[in-house]
Amino acid sequence: ELIVLRFIAHLKLRRYVDLGKEVNMLGLLPFLPDRRSVDGPADQDDVVVNNNDLLDGPLSWKEGSIHSTESKDKLPPWIPYGLRILAAQQLQYNDGSSKALDVLLDMRDRTVRTEYWNTGGMEVWKSTLDNAIVNACIRMKEWRLALHYVEELIGGLEECVKREVLWWCRQDSVVGSIGEETRSQLRELITSAAHVELLSRQILILLQSGAIKAAETVQGDVRLHAAKVEGIVLTGALSRIHGEFALIRQVPIRQIVNDGLILFAQSDYELAAQRFRDAMELQQSVSADMNDSSTLNSTDDPSSPGYPSWKDLDSPTLGFDADPSLTVECINNLSLCLLYSGQMRAAVHEMESLIRKDPCEHLTEGMAFNLCTLYELGSDGEECTKRKKRLQRVAKRFFLHDIGVESFRLN
């Protein structure tokens, strides 16, 4: 988990070269041996001729360990496979998304064709890899491919939910308090919450590709599943799980954010801004309840940490989760709404008020960029530069190192 934290820190600070060096130093790139390690030497019929040389392996897509520079796998078997998936994902920041996608698809092939590759037991990683592939496709703006793998995630939910329910039934906080009826309710609760999360990702992809009508249709499905979540009475174990599981906890907030995104795409900036404010207020209310519950129980905040846990790295269940907080997303979208609405003075006042309230939470990269854009539109050169530098000093004062210099638009 410490290694994962270092990886996430490098990503936040855009230290992609350093991240790549650490991955190579640790030898984390997946070592994917070909079938000869299982089947023995290749037959003469398996020899394939290409334009350059002879390949003495069985003809199959991506045969051999073409992604690792090592001659053999130097990592012990107890290294969690999820760490290798994370290492493969970082390739999109250094070597381009296409290479990361190649490696992830190769790894996924071994979770689907387990009999061919002799990789029994790898099936549990399919949803995790599908989730990683979706992210890589979005970065490449391959919208159709991203939508396809979101559908794969939705199609595999039944088995994933079974693993998730089993995992929760084994936790100390709820063990012994889940009967068959509660287990059935938990299964329905997680299934509906998972649909809300995955359908919301579909909406984001559709909006980026310009399919606003299709996004509205999917939002109708989101509302149905969100209503199912709200209709389940949360008592006992279900109440505790609701507090600890971001996927369930974030359902009503995600629904409101989706409404705001669709309204923004329809150029209704004022109403969209109001929806993002509503979502922020609800998020703050949920966070306050979480903190109160944590204080009463004298435990650490049980909410999702925002990075892969040991469970995600070693024994995945769903293969994805919801963001533990949508505040940053709401702030970035709200700042865009205010920018496009043309009410520059009111926009600057509201954005600066949010930053004064809590710089660490509200001063994000997107907020800084949009606020500096408003400074340029609403003030002369000298005053504009002065305000930008003041904002930059605030970021330095609170050690917000993830906000790059380019966000302040200083020449």
Side-chain angles (χ1 to χ4, degrees), residues 242-261:
H242 175 272
E244 297 180 20
F245 199 4
L247 187 74
I248 300 172
R249 196 173 60 246
Q250 297 294 87
V251 165
I253 305 169
R254 173 53 72 185
Q255 180 184 346
I256 297 173
V257 171
N258 290 347
D259 287 335
L261 290 170

Side-chain angles (χ1 to χ4, degrees), residues 181-344:
E181 183 180 355
T182 305
R183 187 186 292 247
S184 176
Q185 288 180 314
L186 178 59
R187 189 180 301 113
E188 183 181 356
L189 188 65
I190 295 175
T191 300
S192 296
H195 272 95
V196 169
E197 176 65 22
L198 294 178
L199 291 172
S200 297
R201 296 185 188 186
Q202 278 191 339
I203 290 173
L204 290 172
I205 297 168
L206 289 168
L207 290 176
Q208 289 184 77
S209 62
I212 300 175
K213 289 294 184 183
E216 289 183 87
T217 301
V218 177
Q219 178 66 352
D221 294 335
V222 169
R223 294 190 184 99
L224 290 175
H225 288 290
K228 291 180 181 179
V229 172
E230 294 174 7
I232 296 175
V233 179
L234 300 175
T235 57
L238 291 181
S239 179
R240 288 193 292 273
I241 292 172
H242 175 272
E244 297 180 20
F245 199 4
L247 187 74
I248 300 172
R249 196 173 60 246
Q250 297 294 87
V251 165
I253 305 169
R254 173 53 72 185
Q255 180 184 346
I256 297 173
V257 171
N258 290 347
D259 287 335
L261 290 170
I262 293 172
L263 287 167
F264 181 86
Q266 295 170 338
S267 302
D268 193 343
Y269 303 123
E270 291 188 8
L271 191 53
Q274 186 56 51
R275 297 304 283 164
F276 292 130
R277 292 189 190 99
D278 294 341
M280 285 177 59
E281 290 177 7
L282 183 56
Q283 183 70 75
Q284 290 168 3
S285 174
V286 170
S287 299
D289 291 343
M290 289 287 298
N291 292 333
D292 291 343
S293 175
S294 178
T295 302
L296 289 172
N297 295 324
S298 300
T299 60
D300 294 333
D301 186 355
S303 60
S304 300
Y307 58 85
S309 64
W310 179 259
K311 168 194 169 188
D312 303 317
L313 295 172
D314 189 58
S315 53
T317 50
L318 287 175
F320 61 92
D321 198 356
D323 289 333
S325 174
L326 296 176
T327 299
V328 172
E329 183 177 341
C330 291
I331 289 171
N332 291 338
N333 289 321
L334 175 60
S335 63
L336 281 173
C337 289
L338 295 173
L339 177 62
Y340 280 90
S341 66
Q343 303 173 6
M344 287 187 290

Side-chain angles (χ1 to χ4, degrees), residues 49-60:
V49 180
N50 67 7
N51 293 332
N52 300 317
D53 55 5
L54 296 177
L55 303 177
D56 59 345
L59 180 60
S60 177

Side-chain angles (χ1 to χ4, degrees), residues 157-197:
L157 270 181
E158 184 176 354
E159 288 300 319
C160 295
V161 170
K162 285 180 182 178
R163 293 197 296 267
E164 185 71 29
V165 170
L166 183 61
W167 186 85
W168 279 107
C169 291
R170 292 172 176 171
Q171 300 310 297
D172 294 337
S173 60
V174 298
V175 68
S177 60
I178 295 186
E180 189 56 40
E181 183 180 355
T182 305
R183 187 186 292 247
S184 176
Q185 288 180 314
L186 178 59
R187 189 180 301 113
E188 183 181 356
L189 188 65
I190 295 175
T191 300
S192 296
H195 272 95
V196 169
E197 176 65 22

